[in-house]
Amino acid sequence: MATPAGKRCRVVMSSNGSALHVYSDARGIVLQLRRSVPTADDLLTPSFKVAVNLSQAEALALAAELLHAASGRAALAAD
């Protein structure tokens, strides 16, 4: 899928092959999670694509929660 005109796209790949796409412009933020598994590799593992439209407040709350979760894990890894 091409990036919609006028939107910025940032893709973050996970270690399991899923991808997180963040589309943004002055009007809003869309968070899209994609996972694609070829049926030749695993017939029972689902592929999916889901997207949510986030307000600025929701995006900031999500960012804060992710930072909190990641900083807790970083502290545990350092011990």
Side-chain angles (χ1 to χ4, degrees):
M1 178 178 128
T3 301
K7 289 201 179 281
R8 177 182 183 272
C9 179
R10 170 79 163 102
V11 179
V12 179
M13 297 297 296
S14 71
S15 59
N16 69 357
S18 298
L20 182 66
H21 296 245
V22 180
Y23 296 96
S24 62
D25 63 10
R27 293 178 291 160
I29 303 162
V30 176
L31 182 67
Q32 185 182 71
L33 179 62
R34 299 180 189 182
R35 178 169 170 85
S36 180
V37 179
T39 54
D41 291 347
D42 191 343
L43 187 60
L44 298 176
T45 302
S47 295
F48 59 84
K49 184 189 302 183
V50 63
V52 292
N53 195 22
L54 300 172
S55 69
Q56 288 180 339
E58 292 165 333
L60 288 170
L62 178 59
E65 182 57 32
L66 290 171
L67 286 169
H68 176 75
S71 65
R73 287 184 174 259
L76 290 174
D79 290 340

